[in-house]
């Protein structure tokens, strides 16, 4: 046997210069562009530090006080802090912080309450719903009898008459209320009434709006929903992760579904960062942040309307704006690629009743969580709307795109983003 060597433990830059360089490049990209993808944000330095900690080393299947591995003296405390802080923040009776992200959190809900083939209902993807609410390409659309409800043709708001009619017809086990591309307030009370009428569990997926709920600028799903799922990295501004919150009576079902039903060991570095994010979100400044996210989105929507953009539902109540580009004669993909070259990052997105295909849809989806974390406000939203109008009018004009990218970079320099090294 070769003699044991001391473990060399150099820095990332020395050990793996390629990955180190790519991380630096991504930091630079995030620093100099306006990130409008509504599901993204800038996690703080403290959140990033916890995420990058040695807590990644520990296995801890089970829950605090009842694990399958020894050595949990510290991890139990970490998880208990994350759980108690999130319970206080949301006013939840029970919280499970172990889901790896939003999709596993939602799968745990199915596992807790449904058998394969059971009827379930959610907002269909083209109307602004999420894949895991039963869309046909997702396991949730394949393993369950999924019935999608939609939005009305005239207002593009959730069609509650249809939700009720379908619920009475199909008697879903789970009624999802939650969205990925819906710019209006979710009316949890209306969903509750329908769920009660048909004996469904009401499950709210608040991944996009969790930070707005905590900040008091969107109604809370508590105490109306039986179960609430969320990611932790969107408006909540934590690490990449997920949670399931529920009424105490469902705690055991949910915990058993997450572990051992669906997952193995929780990601303890993420759990620690979730605890940090909960502490940050409990600070009074987070309420201001949430209010500013919504104020900025409204100002951006108004700026876009003044340039003749068509907005789905005519505006926004929350952090996102869905633009239908049909009247601008430019597909969403072409627009978003041109905008990216101009330093404005968004994603192309289907709009309700879209005539185009999902991978080449008519719309783009934008949002204000990231740029509000940088401190941008109403005057900057006006500039942003002007830039977007210029780019969408001339997506092939490389000189224009370069000029806008330069102006964006200059603006960004005045608003350093949280979590990134000095910019
Ligand atoms: N992928 C997320 C989003 O962008 O909305 C949802 O999971």
């Amino acid at each position: 046997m070769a003699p044991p060597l001391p473990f060399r433990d150099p820095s990332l830059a020395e050990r793996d210069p390629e990955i180190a360089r790519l991380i630096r490049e991504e930091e630079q990209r995030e620093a100099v562009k306006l990130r409008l993808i509504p599901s993204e944000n800038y996690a703080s330095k403290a959140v990033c530090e916890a995420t990058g900690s040695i807590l990644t080393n520990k296995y801890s299947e089970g829950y605090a006080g009842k694990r399958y591995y020894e050595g949990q003296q510290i991890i139990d405390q970490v998880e208990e802090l994350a759980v108690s802080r999130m319970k206080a923040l949301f006013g939840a009776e029970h919280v499970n912080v172990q889901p790896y992200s939003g999709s596993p959190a939602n799968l745990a809900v199915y596992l807790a309450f449904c058998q394969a083939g059971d009827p379930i209902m959610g907002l269909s993807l083209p109307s602004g719903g999420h894949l895991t609410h039963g869309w046909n390409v997702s396991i949730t659309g394949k393993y369950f009898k999924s019935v999608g409800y939609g939005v009305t043709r005239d207002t593009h708001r959730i069609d509650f008459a249809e939700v009720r009619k379908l619920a009475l017809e199909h008697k879903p086990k789970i009624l999802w209320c939650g969205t990925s591309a819906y710019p209006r307030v979710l009316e949890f009370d209306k969903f509750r009434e329908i769920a009660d009428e048909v004996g469904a569990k009401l499950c709210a997926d608040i991944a996009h709006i969790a930070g707005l709920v905590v900040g008091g600028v969107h109604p809370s799903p508590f105490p109306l929903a039986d179960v609430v799922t969320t990611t932790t990295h969107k408006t909540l501004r934590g690490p990449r992760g997920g949670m399931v919150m529920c009424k105490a009576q469902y705690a055991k079902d949910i915990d058993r579904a997450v572990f051992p039903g669906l997952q193995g060991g929780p990601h303890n570095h993420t759990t620690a960062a979730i605890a940090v994010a909960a502490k940050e979100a409990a600070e009074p400044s987070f309420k201001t942040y949430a209010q500013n996210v919504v104020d900025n989105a409204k100002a951006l929507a108004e700026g876009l309307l003044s340039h003749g953009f068509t907005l789905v539902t005519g505006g926004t109540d929350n952090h996102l704006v869905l633009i239908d580009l049909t009247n601008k004669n430019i597909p969403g993909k072409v627009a978003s690629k041109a905008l990216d070259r101009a330093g404005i990052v968004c994603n192309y997105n289907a709009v309700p009743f879209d005539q185009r295909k999902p991978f080449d849809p008519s719309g783009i989806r934008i949002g204000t969580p990231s740029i509000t974390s940088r401190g941008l406000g109403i005057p900057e939203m006006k500039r942003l709307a002007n830039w977007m109008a210029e780019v969408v009018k001339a997506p092939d004009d490389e000189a224009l795109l370069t000029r806008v990218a330069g102006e964006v970079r200059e603006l960004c320099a005045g608003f350093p983003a949280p979590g990134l090294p000095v910019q």
Side-chain angles (χ1 to χ4, degrees), residues 251-266:
K252 277 203 178 110
D253 297 322
I254 289 295
D255 284 354
R256 263 201 299 266
V258 174
F259 173 84
L262 200 62
Q263 298 186 171

Side-chain angles (χ1 to χ4, degrees), residues 37 39 130 180 208 234 365:
I37 293 174
S39 46
H130 190 256
S180 269
H208 266 260
K234 296 187 175 91
R365 187 185 68 151

